[in-house]
Amino acid sequence: MRPRVRLSAAEARRIALAAQGLHRERPASAPDARHFRRAMQALKVLQLDFVNVLVPAHYLILWSRLGAYDRQRFDRFVYRSGDYTEQWAHEASIVPSDAWPLLAHRRAAYEPSKNNPLRKLRGRENYLAAVLEQVRDHGALTSADLPPLPGPKRRPGDWHRSIPRWALEYHFARGDVAVAQRLGNFQRVYDLPERLIPRGHLETSLDKAAADREMLWRAAEALGVATLRDLADYFRMSPREAAPRVEELVEEAVLHRVEVENWGEPGYLANTAQLPRAVEGASLLSPFDPIVWYRPRAERLFDFHYRIEIYVPASARKWGYYVLPFRVGDCIVARVDLKADRKTGRLLVLAAHEEPGVATGECAASLAAELRALSEWLSLETIAVSRSGDFARTLRAALRT
């Protein structure tokens, strides 16, 4: 689109949704590699999260754009094509393989955290070298394929990791190994990068400024219109280190400063941004969808205050345990606390809340249709709506029609 000096709040929403591919109707046929590639090109970064209360969150991000698709087919597309790889980008993420050199400076700077048990491991360097040699000599493996080693005892509430797992994750963070695939239990299988990533990407070298500038440009394309903080957050940079690179993008005329209604801080519009006349359709959104993952941006765009309450005590939760925003058109109109009860074959709506100013009947019908489609995709036979939330009764009625 042509550079703009000002944007209304509604225009900014439509640009943001279009940049993420949420302005298109879902495919009428079964999604294939073409659809996966188009979705990944829009996202740039697919944050991984394996909390399985409903479905792992990254699968839901694709669902929001594509509707029902074969998750195993998507996994094969990601892990067998050579076009994608796991990296620490915006948290643990799937990124295009050509992002490997962009993240080299982070890998080189990685050091274990102060609580990492490897810091206290006697003979650490020898052990880490032996683990890497095992991968080199015997090929792809998981932490379970390595000999066990005594480590810290598990504390209540901890995610337990064995010493072999800590070691492989250390090598992953440093770029000594990469992820070959995920097993059915979501466990990583590791192998050497040269066996997984195209040589051209492995041999590409960029200085940090050039790498950061490219990541910020990818963020700008994925966001459409954004503040400095939005751009920096996409690949987890600080605004301070991002600011000079953003100014360089402005000087190159690929980003344009723009004033956005009610934002209160400067916006930056990508020269690749699209402004559709309208955004149609509806979709449930993963808690880690880029359209809402940076909470200040979600508030600016949609006037939607969103927090994940998984780690909040049940008595202190306001909305629920695993709450998904629900979008209709260019607005977020409701939020629902969902759970897949696989033993009984039910999709549980533990709470349903509408946002202020919503056309309740239209919203309920759209949400009911989305829940039916989701339950079918997850092979759940029925939908059960609890009484919790101001939208629950209306939603139950819509599901009966």
Side-chain angles (χ1 to χ4, degrees):
M1 63 181 289
R2 292 180 179 179
R4 297 278 296 273
V5 177
R6 294 181 181 83
L7 293 171
S8 69
E11 288 173 327
R13 287 196 300 274
R14 297 202 302 273
I15 290 170
L17 289 163
Q20 285 287 311
L22 285 164
H23 65 307
R24 303 187 188 99
E25 291 188 5
R26 289 164 170 164
S29 57
D32 56 23
R34 296 167 302 158
H35 302 101
F36 298 150
R37 192 172 304 279
R38 185 172 69 177
M40 292 297 291
Q41 285 173 344
L43 289 163
K44 314 296 185 194
V45 174
L46 181 65
Q47 182 179 341
L48 296 169
D49 187 88
F50 292 95
V51 173
N52 206 20
V53 175
L54 180 65
V55 64
H58 53 284
Y59 290 133
L60 190 61
I61 294 171
L62 270 292
W63 155 267
S64 299
R65 291 148 178 81
L66 303 178
Y69 68 94
D70 185 329
R71 281 170 276 168
Q72 291 183 341
R73 188 175 189 178
F74 176 70
D75 286 342
R76 291 193 297 271
F77 167 79
V78 166
Y79 292 106
R80 296 185 185 178
S81 67
D83 294 334
Y84 299 91
T85 187
E86 286 192 29
Q87 282 286 275
W88 286 103
H90 183 100
E91 306 300 328
S93 307
I94 295 169
V95 295
S97 295
D98 66 5
W100 179 268
L102 305 181
L103 296 159
H105 297 276
R106 294 189 187 179
R107 293 194 298 270
Y110 172 77
E111 290 291 341
S113 68
K114 65 179 181 179
N115 295 322
N116 189 316
L118 293 178
R119 283 189 173 274
K120 298 180 180 179
L121 183 66
R122 291 182 179 179
R124 181 181 75 170
E125 297 305 321
N126 289 338
Y127 177 71
L128 290 173
V131 167
L132 194 56
E133 184 177 0
Q134 180 91 348
V135 179
R136 186 177 296 112
D137 293 347
H138 298 283
L141 53 75
T142 72
S143 59
D145 297 319
L146 296 171
L149 200 68
K153 294 182 179 180
R154 184 175 183 176
R155 292 178 297 181
D158 276 358
W159 289 95
H160 181 66
R161 301 180 191 180
S162 65
I163 291 295
R165 181 175 170 183
W166 281 108
L168 284 168
E169 290 185 358
Y170 170 87
H171 284 305
F172 170 69
R174 295 282 295 180
D176 303 323
V177 299
V179 177
Q181 64 172 317
R182 291 274 185 165
L183 300 181
N185 63 357
F186 310 129
Q187 188 175 15
R188 284 171 170 159
V189 178
Y190 296 93
D191 205 345
L192 298 180
E194 51 264 38
R195 295 174 184 158
L196 302 172
I197 296 171
R199 178 183 296 180
H201 302 325
L202 293 175
E203 294 178 348
T204 297
S205 179
L206 298 170
D207 64 50
K208 188 175 185 302
D212 286 355
R213 184 166 55 248
E214 175 61 21
M215 285 190 283
L216 287 162
W217 169 239
R218 295 185 184 197
E221 285 195 297
L223 295 171
V225 61
T227 67
L228 171 62
R229 290 181 299 149
D230 298 341
L231 294 169
D233 178 74
Y234 214 83
F235 281 90
R236 288 295 201 238
M237 298 182 200
S238 71
R240 177 178 293 181
E241 66 180 333
R245 307 289 82 83
V246 169
E247 288 305 309
E248 291 166 0
L249 294 170
V250 171
E251 291 171 7
E252 293 173 16
V254 294
L255 281 186
H256 304 280
R257 290 187 183 86
V258 65
E259 179 183 326
V260 183
E261 179 185 6
N262 296 330
W263 273 23
E265 56 188 297
Y268 295 90
L269 180 67
N271 67 356
T272 55
Q274 302 175 53
L275 176 55
R277 292 185 177 180
V279 171
E280 307 294 343
S283 55
L284 287 162
L285 299 171
S286 161
F288 306 108
D289 195 301
I291 207 69
V292 293
W293 71 15
Y294 186 49
R295 310 312 184 199
R297 177 175 170 83
E299 291 187 44
R300 254 185 284 114
L301 280 172
F302 302 105
D303 193 23
F304 183 70
H305 185 273
Y306 185 43
R307 298 292 182 271
I308 296 175
E309 298 181 305
I310 289 176
Y311 302 108
V312 175
S315 61
R317 291 179 196 137
K318 182 176 181 180
W319 306 108
Y321 182 79
Y322 199 72
V323 176
L324 307 187
F326 179 57
R327 173 195 65 87
V328 174
D330 66 354
C331 296
I332 293 177
V333 298
R335 62 185 90 200
V336 284
D337 184 12
L338 298 183
K339 179 179 181 179
D341 187 341
R342 296 173 181 86
K343 289 184 178 180
T344 63
R346 296 184 301 164
L347 176 61
L348 304 181
V349 184
L350 302 177
H353 304 270
E354 64 180 350
E355 294 299 298
V358 169
T360 301
E362 178 184 350
C363 172
S366 297
L367 181 52
E370 182 79 347
L371 291 171
R372 290 189 190 103
L374 179 63
S375 64
E376 182 177 352
W377 181 51
L378 298 180
S379 300
L380 301 172
E381 298 173 0
T382 58
I383 302 170
V385 182
S386 79
R387 297 182 179 182
S388 180
D390 56 10
F391 200 37
R393 178 180 295 181
T394 305
L395 179 59
R396 278 200 305 274
L399 284 164
R400 287 196 294 267
T401 60

